[in-house]
Amino acid sequence: MAKKKIFISSVQREFEAERKVLYDYIYADPLLGRFFEPFIFEALPAIDQRVDNVYLREVENSTIYLGLFGKEYGFQNHDGVSPTELEFNHATLHHLTRLIFISSHPNNERHPKELALIEKAQGVVVRKKIAGTDDLKASVYAALVRYLVEKEIIRSGPFDASVNEKADLNDIDTEKIKWFVRLAREKRGFALQETDSVEKILTHLNLFENNKPVNAALLLFGKQPQRFFISSEVRCVVFRGTKMEKPIPSYKVYKGTAFELVDQTVEFILSKLDYSVGTRQTNVQAPGAYEIPKDVIAEAVVNAIAHRDYTNNGSVQVMLFRDRLEIWNPGSLPMGWTVEKLKQLHSSVPANPLMAEPLYLTAYIERLGTGTSDMVRQSKTAGLKEPQFIQAEEFRTVLYRPSYLQTTEQVPDKHRTSNEELPQEYRSTSVEVRNLIAVLKNEMNRQELQDKLELKHEGNFRDIYLVPALHEGWVEMKYPQKNHPKQKYRLTEKGLALQKLLRNEK
């Protein structure tokens, strides 16, 4: 098999040593040298041709563009464009796989045009910051091995399909398997029954091999998944402003199965967002919605958990700011993909295919490749700025809140008074309690309230919504007996007054 040519591009003077190190390293490494042939311009014999014609032709004849971006922009032609940028543009034009490695210099030390080139590359390619030659070699090695695996030039099973030798069926939660079967039968017509054995169900899902569960089985149905995968958790934090600054009003770390992580994380985010009740102009029931659509949030969260790199020691991180929601996961796009591709219809290429199938069967995800484009469409429909997808050393999704627009203009058909606009005596109420007050109409039972707020878990709802609302006197029980089988809840006079303010009603 012919070797894949790698075109190494940079300002030659700035990265003279690194270029030579990479050139020698790729040739000498037993694995990389078997599949790749590096190219640097200084290794080319002197020829009687225009230099720019030669290096652009070499780009065309390559499979991979490897760019080293640092402080300097380099020599500029009559159009003010450097050879490095011309090479990058040519690699983009000819659809090369592009790997960008960026020096660790602060941006204020970079040439303005070099900074602009880095920003251009950030939007379309896999990139990574590097600190020193050893870090560069390790990062290039990891990227090229990943290329070989994804192109199936070398074969290696995905992490989630690997048998976990430390586990057995005793580490699988039988009740979680039954819950899965019930939901999968309801959502997708799953063929097996709750009464089937755990071994049969796992085998049917390709999650049981050689009498051992594979990693995906433990992540989805394990009694204690974090015993085997300590970084399989979600860290959720709320900041008061637009920067990562103290004080931090809320911080939670969630553990559990992939299903539990999704549910807990989504409900944490919803509990911190305003729920607005709209008008009755188009509906007998007053419509309501969170300031960021729940479906958009759920898609971002499940993508972070389903597509993350579980071999990485990092955790999924959720950060809610005054103007946006950021969800980070230790993962990356398939080789050659761009963030722009996510906004269009694309094929579904799950990083953890065996995890993806049960998530699909329970309708946590779809398999059509429309999830991220739906996020863009739904955000625009809600009057929000479209989500931003960023591939850096981790993958980030940024969802924008209405406050990002910095305007008094309301989201269409939504009428809601912000906490800052309330009289002082009402401002101590939590977001969760205000949301409960906003949706409570006449008399409603607990399940009706949860359904209205799109919340699944009773314990969470009682602890941070219902109990505080009762304790603070906004809501009262219809029946004095706390555990009455037909218990319902209604607003007190105090609660009705706050609801009118929240809904901008006179």
Side-chain angles (χ1 to χ4, degrees):
M1 184 182 74
K3 293 184 179 181
K4 308 291 184 183
K5 181 177 284 189
I6 302 172
F7 187 97
I8 300 175
S9 174
S10 72
V11 175
Q12 187 172 333
R13 179 181 60 186
E14 183 179 5
F15 289 101
E16 182 178 3
E18 289 84 352
R19 290 164 64 90
K20 184 65 166 60
V21 166
L22 279 183
Y23 181 84
D24 293 341
Y25 174 64
I26 293 171
Y27 259 125
D29 184 82
L31 176 64
L32 301 185
R34 179 182 173 188
F35 296 104
F36 298 108
E37 178 186 353
F39 172 86
I40 52 177
F41 191 77
E42 51 266 40
L44 196 68
I47 54 175
D48 187 20
Q49 294 186 43
R50 282 187 54 180
V51 172
D52 53 355
N53 289 337
V54 173
Y55 66 65
L56 291 181
R57 187 172 66 246
E58 291 294 339
V59 171
E60 292 177 28
N61 293 332
S62 299
T63 304
I64 296 172
Y65 170 92
L66 193 159
L68 306 177
F69 294 174
K71 295 193 302 181
E72 300 180 24
Y73 184 65
F75 169 80
Q76 301 179 41
N77 65 12
H78 62 279
D79 294 322
V81 183
S82 72
T84 304
E85 184 158 8
L86 285 172
E87 292 160 3
F88 174 80
N89 293 342
H90 212 59
T92 302
L93 177 66
H94 290 276
H95 309 293
L96 271 64
T97 294
R98 290 150 296 166
L99 307 174
I100 305 298
F101 299 90
I102 304 169
S103 71
S104 58
H105 295 97
N107 286 341
N108 60 8
E109 293 184 10
R110 302 187 198 276
H111 189 285
K113 287 191 174 182
E114 184 73 355
L115 186 58
L117 175 59
I118 290 171
E119 290 174 351
K120 179 197 292 187
Q122 285 176 355
V124 297
V125 297
V126 176
R127 66 184 184 92
K128 189 180 189 301
K129 283 193 174 181
I130 49 99
T133 304
D134 289 340
D135 188 27
L136 174 62
K137 287 165 58 179
S139 299
V140 168
Y141 183 89
L144 293 178
V145 168
R146 180 169 165 236
Y147 174 90
L148 293 172
V149 171
E150 292 196 4
K151 298 297 182 182
E152 297 189 344
I153 297 170
I154 61 176
R155 294 188 178 274
S156 174
F159 168 82
D160 68 335
S162 300
V163 171
N164 195 301
E165 296 294 344
K166 297 180 179 179
D168 57 36
L169 281 182
N170 291 322
D171 296 300
I172 301 297
D173 191 318
T174 303
E175 291 305 312
K176 292 174 183 176
I177 291 283
K178 290 180 179 180
W179 167 85
F180 162 78
V181 173
R182 288 195 298 272
L183 188 57
R185 287 178 61 80
E186 174 191 339
K187 298 292 185 179
R188 309 287 192 194
F190 186 59
L192 300 188
Q193 307 280 344
E194 283 184 63
T195 52
D196 287 319
S197 69
V198 170
E199 182 176 349
K200 180 177 180 179
I201 294 167
L202 292 180
T203 301
H204 181 82
L205 295 169
N206 299 306
L207 301 179
F208 196 68
E209 187 176 332
N210 298 327
N211 292 317
K212 290 282 187 179
V214 302
N215 288 333
L218 297 164
L219 288 165
L220 291 162
F221 308 116
K223 292 177 180 176
Q224 293 180 297
Q226 286 69 36
R227 177 183 155 213
F228 301 95
F229 317 105
I230 193 170
S231 66
S232 178
E233 61 183 20
V234 181
R235 298 175 179 269
C236 299
V237 61
V238 175
F239 296 99
R240 294 190 186 279
T242 60
K243 298 179 181 179
M244 288 187 272
E245 297 176 335
K246 294 181 179 179
I248 297 173
S250 184
Y251 177 70
K252 293 281 187 180
V253 179
Y254 293 111
K255 301 178 185 293
T257 67
F259 296 107
E260 291 167 336
L261 290 178
V262 171
D263 290 343
Q264 291 173 126
T265 304
V266 170
E267 294 208 354
F268 174 88
I269 296 168
L270 294 182
S271 74
K272 307 304 177 187
L273 297 179
D274 281 334
Y275 185 94
S276 299
V277 177
T279 68
R280 295 181 177 81
Q281 294 175 358
T282 59
N283 198 319
V284 175
Q285 294 291 325
Y290 288 96
E291 55 183 285
I292 302 174
K294 181 187 176 182
D295 288 348
V296 175
I297 294 168
E299 182 71 27
V301 170
V302 76
N303 282 347
I305 292 168
H307 300 312
R308 64 156 291 177
D309 177 3
Y310 281 93
T311 65
N312 190 298
N313 289 330
S315 303
V316 173
Q317 297 184 63
V318 172
M319 290 169 283
L320 183 64
F321 299 89
R322 184 179 182 85
D323 61 342
R324 69 195 186 280
L325 169 68
E326 294 194 10
I327 300 171
W328 297 21
N329 80 80
S332 55
L333 293 171
M335 191 71 74
W337 279 38
T338 68
V339 293
E340 290 303 316
K341 186 170 183 176
L342 295 178
K343 299 177 183 180
Q344 306 160 5
L345 182 63
H346 57 271
S347 58
S348 177
V349 185
N352 301 293
L354 293 191
M355 278 188 68
E357 180 65 11
L359 288 166
Y360 164 76
L361 290 170
T362 49
Y364 274 65
I365 62 172
E366 300 294 336
R367 290 194 298 202
L368 302 175
T370 61
T372 46
S373 58
D374 284 345
M375 290 169 63
V376 173
R377 176 183 53 79
Q378 291 170 358
S379 295
K380 288 181 175 179
T381 299
L384 304 176
K385 180 185 176 184
E386 73 173 47
Q388 187 178 7
F389 305 106
I390 302 169
Q391 180 65 76
E393 294 184 40
E394 62 289 306
F395 186 80
R396 309 177 192 174
T397 299
V398 183
L399 306 178
Y400 291 95
R401 304 175 72 173
S403 55
Y404 174 83
L405 301 174
Q406 296 184 349
T407 174
T408 56
E409 196 174 301
Q410 295 288 328
V411 176
D413 293 324
K414 304 293 186 293
H415 300 275
R416 179 65 183 269
T417 299
S418 69
N419 192 44
E420 290 78 4
E421 296 173 294
L422 291 172
Q424 188 66 42
E425 64 266 30
Y426 297 125
R427 293 186 190 179
S428 62
T429 57
S430 66
V431 176
E432 297 91 336
V433 170
R434 292 202 307 272
N435 288 344
L436 175 61
I437 293 169
V439 302
L440 207 169
K441 181 183 178 183
N442 299 327
E443 295 176 349
M444 299 172 70
N445 62 33
R446 176 193 54 77
Q447 190 59 57
E448 289 171 333
L449 287 167
Q450 281 188 230
D451 291 345
K452 190 68 176 175
L453 289 167
E454 303 178 73
L455 304 173
K456 291 184 178 182
H457 298 286
E458 178 182 346
N460 183 61
F461 173 76
R462 286 190 183 279
D463 290 344
I464 66 176
Y465 289 82
L466 189 56
V467 170
L470 288 165
H471 179 73
E472 294 166 16
W474 306 106
V475 173
E476 62 184 8
M477 295 182 290
K478 180 178 181 179
Y479 302 103
Q481 306 96 308
K482 186 175 180 181
N483 295 319
H484 193 285
K486 294 184 178 181
Q487 188 65 268
K488 291 195 174 186
Y489 304 91
R490 60 196 176 200
L491 293 173
T492 62
E493 289 299 318
K494 175 182 171 182
L496 285 167
L498 178 53
Q499 186 183 73
K500 288 183 179 180
L501 287 172
L502 292 173
R503 294 187 177 188
N504 280 325
E505 295 177 355
K506 302 298 183 184

